Amino acid sequence: MSEFNPERVSKLIQKVENSLTHTAQVTDADKLVVGVDLGTAYIVLVVLDHHGEPVATEMQFAQVLKDGLVVDYIGALNIVRQLKENLETRLQVSLEKAAIAMPSNTPESVCKTHRYVVEGAGMDVVNMLDEPTAANRVLGIRNGAVVDIGGGTTGLSIFKDGEVIYTADEATGGTHLSLVLAGHYKTSFEEAEEQKKDSANHRDVVAIVRPVIEKMGSIVHQHIQGYDVKDIYLVGGTTCLPEFEQIVEKQTGVTTWKPENPFLVTPLGIAISALEAEKLLAS
């Protein structure tokens, strides 16, 4: 197995969860950084202090992106601006430095749009990376594949000796699960989203959307062919469903791991990348 330490990752994610409702006291406001995760289903902002400790987090359900692309620029800008204002009110400081992440192999024009959203909200973008690589800032694996399945896409990065040797991204994610649920129950997409998020429904949901999860597993299987991948690590809100890792493992034939609350791994990793960029600049 690689350097993945479930207990360490669990503690980090628990701190981010706590920072959704609890605000830490800030002693050095100038050194705060923000990770901005513009997701297809949620927009999340995580603030870290210069020690890498989460001090405040804000998130909001949003449908301003599709398959990782900003389709409602003004809507995205307004949400990021509001979340930033919420954080600044909680922390009583101005937030100025941020990092962003995109699906793997995103065209430069799309990267610029993400950057413009964050800059339009009043923050300088100090780092930009792909989502699975951002997630690995938290996971810390040296060898294996990190698979980030969000609302719109399935992204993958393969690591060897701590370096990225392959990336891929395909437009299949949680949105597709919700569409299947909406069709099955003959309800609206919004109602299906709520049903999917309710943990009380998860077993029934998995039974209905299992073929889509199997498709995601087959996508991963195709992309790791020719590489010596012995471990797969799942992150992203869609993978919160129970049995997700078992289904992917069955499709790929590769040992598959999932941290507790995989939804918050990538936003935290984006924030960590901002901190790394700031420390590099200061050195």
Side-chain angles (χ1 to χ4, degrees):
M1 185 179 170
S2 304
E3 301 298 323
F4 178 58
N5 184 324
E7 186 177 347
R8 181 187 66 83
V9 173
S10 179
K11 286 180 179 178
L12 283 171
I13 297 305
Q14 185 61 57
K15 289 179 180 180
V16 180
E17 288 180 337
N18 291 341
S19 71
L20 280 163
T21 53
H22 296 83
T23 308
Q25 275 206 309
V26 177
T27 56
D28 197 342
D30 291 340
K31 293 185 179 179
L32 296 181
V33 294
V34 186
V36 180
D37 188 359
L38 295 174
T40 300
Y42 281 89
I43 293 178
V44 185
L45 273 64
V46 176
V47 183
L48 301 182
D49 64 17
H50 65 285
H51 296 298
E53 292 292 317
V55 294
T57 298
E58 290 277 335
M59 58 185 282
Q60 182 176 322
F61 179 74
Q63 292 184 288
V64 293
L65 284 89
K66 181 175 178 168
D67 300 339
L69 309 177
V70 177
V71 294
D72 179 359
Y73 176 80
I74 298 301
L77 176 61
N78 287 338
I79 292 172
V80 173
R81 186 176 285 157
Q82 184 60 60
L83 293 178
K84 175 177 176 279
E85 288 178 5
N86 293 348
L87 288 165
E88 290 177 334
T89 299
R90 288 172 59 185
L91 292 163
Q92 292 297 295
V93 298
S94 176
L95 299 170
E96 299 175 354
K97 307 290 185 180
I100 56 176
M102 277 75 52
S104 304
N105 304 323
T106 300
E108 186 178 348
S109 58
V110 177
C111 296
K112 285 182 178 178
T113 305
H114 279 66
R115 178 185 287 272
Y116 294 154
V117 168
V118 175
E119 290 178 341
M123 293 180 284
D124 294 330
V125 176
V126 297
N127 204 1
M128 186 165 53
L129 68 172
D130 69 87
E131 291 166 346
T133 302
N136 200 38
R137 293 294 199 275
V138 179
L139 301 177
I141 71 160
R142 291 188 54 77
N143 297 286
V146 176
V147 180
D148 187 338
I149 306 178
T153 62
T154 295
L156 177 145
S157 289
I158 296 176
F159 292 83
K160 182 177 180 180
D161 297 328
E163 300 294 326
V164 178
I165 60 171
Y166 177 79
T167 61
D169 194 81
E170 296 208 22
T172 302
T175 296
H176 302 80
L177 303 186
S178 298
L179 290 170
V180 169
L181 285 173
H184 179 85
Y185 288 113
K186 296 180 171 54
T187 60
S188 68
F189 176 83
E190 289 73 21
E191 288 173 316
E193 272 285 323
E194 289 304 313
Q195 190 166 21
K196 185 181 72 177
K197 289 186 290 184
D198 187 345
S199 59
N201 301 324
H202 277 175
R203 293 296 174 186
D204 290 338
V205 167
V206 170
I208 295 163
V209 303
R210 181 177 289 267
V212 187
I213 300 175
E214 289 175 346
K215 180 188 175 185
M216 294 171 179
S218 68
I219 287 172
V220 174
H221 180 65
Q222 291 166 15
H223 283 290
I224 64 176
Q225 294 305 298
Y227 295 92
D228 185 25
V229 175
K230 293 184 172 62
D231 295 281
I232 294 169
Y233 304 84
L234 300 179
V235 298
T238 302
T239 68
C240 289
L241 289 170
E243 300 178 41
F244 208 106
E245 61 271 40
Q246 290 97 320
I247 297 171
V248 170
E249 183 168 318
K250 188 173 181 180
Q251 292 296 117
T252 61
V254 177
T255 302
T256 302
W257 309 83
K258 182 177 74 175
E260 290 183 38
N261 199 346
F263 169 62
L264 291 171
V265 172
T266 300
L268 173 58
I270 298 170
I272 291 172
S273 80
L275 189 63
E276 290 173 349
E278 282 296 278
K279 286 181 177 179
L280 189 63
L281 192 65
S283 63

